[in-house]
Amino acid sequence: MSDREELSWDRFGDASRDLAQVIADDGFEPDLILSIARGGLFVAGALGYALDVKNLHVMNVEFYTGVDQRLDMPVMLPPVPSAVDLTGATVLVADDVADTGKTLKLVRDFCSDHVAEVRCAVIYQKPHSEVDCEYVWKRTDKWINFPWSVLPPVTERQAHVLDA
Ligand code: 5GP
C-alpha cells in the first residue's frame, strides 16, 4: 500500500462537490469564503461555485518548505485582508488540509477578532490537527499529493523581491 494519499484532479472535483453538499445540508450560509493560499484557493473556488458564494478573499500563509518540513510557526504574508471586509461577516475558511492545524488556527484566531461566525472546511484533516474543522471530506495520517503541487514548477524562478 502507498505511503502517500493521492488526490487526482478528477477526485478533487468530486471531493469539493461532496464537501459543499455537506455544508449546504448543514444549513451554513457563509457571507464570504476566505481561502488560505495557495492550496486553499482551489478549494475556495470550487466551494464558491457549488455554494453560490461570489465573495472570495485570500490570506497568504507560509509554513511548509517541503514534505513534512516546516518553519517554526506559520507566518501571515501581506496583503492581510482588511477588518472592513470581515467585520460582522459569517465566514467559511477554506484550505486543502489541516495537518498540524497551526495555519488554520492562526487564520481562525485572526478572524475571531472581527467576524460574527467562522467555520473551517478542508479536503483532508490529519489526526493530530489542533483545529477540528467543522467540514472535512476525508481523514488521513499520510502525506497527501495534491494535483496542484505534485509536479515541479515548469520554470525555475530567481528569488523574488516583492518591494523592488
Ligand atoms: P498545517 O498548518 O495544518 O500543518 O499545514 C497547512 C498547510 O501545509 C496546508 O495548507 C498545505 O499547504 C501544507 N501541507 C500540510 N500537510 C500537507 C500534506 O500532507 N501534503 C501537502 N502537499 N501539503 C501539506
Side-chain angles (χ1 to χ4, degrees):
M1 218 167 94
S2 166
D3 61 344
R4 298 276 173 108
E5 165 78 16
E6 300 281 345
L7 187 71
S8 63
W9 282 113
D10 261 10
R11 222 162 138 240
F12 167 66
D14 293 337
S16 53
R17 197 81 198 167
D18 290 351
L19 191 60
Q21 192 64 64
V22 172
I23 297 167
D25 290 349
D26 196 34
F28 187 59
E29 294 187 353
D31 299 316
L32 64 93
I33 299 177
L34 178 58
S35 66
I36 307 181
R38 288 172 288 176
L41 285 166
F42 299 94
V43 183
L47 292 180
Y49 274 106
L51 294 171
D52 200 18
V53 175
K54 293 182 177 162
N55 197 353
L56 265 63
H57 293 253
V58 183
M59 247 177 111
N60 298 293
V61 180
E62 179 102 68
F63 191 20
Y64 281 70
T65 53
V67 174
D68 270 327
Q69 308 269 304
R70 303 175 195 93
L71 306 172
D72 288 341
M73 287 300 292
V75 187
M76 270 186 223
L77 303 177
V80 174
S82 88
V84 176
D85 293 329
L86 301 179
T87 299
T90 299
V91 176
L92 180 66
V93 175
D95 205 357
D96 47 5
V97 49
D99 189 319
T100 64
K102 287 185 191 303
T103 301
L104 274 165
K105 184 166 187 319
L106 180 79
V107 174
R108 179 177 249 180
D109 289 351
F110 171 83
C111 287
S112 299
D113 293 340
H114 310 288
V115 304
E117 187 178 1
V118 55
R119 296 190 192 178
C120 298
V122 289
I123 302 290
Y124 290 101
Q125 183 168 301
K126 300 202 183 172
H128 48 251
S129 170
E130 61 184 72
V131 166
D132 192 19
C133 296
E134 284 80 3
Y135 307 111
V136 177
W137 178 68
K138 188 174 173 191
R139 292 165 200 276
T140 183
D141 56 4
K142 294 180 178 175
W143 184 262
I144 305 143
N145 282 344
F146 288 106
W148 42 85
S149 55
V150 70
L151 297 175
V154 296
T155 181
E156 247 178 63
R157 276 165 58 98
Q158 303 300 316
H160 190 56
V161 182
L162 281 171
D163 56 357

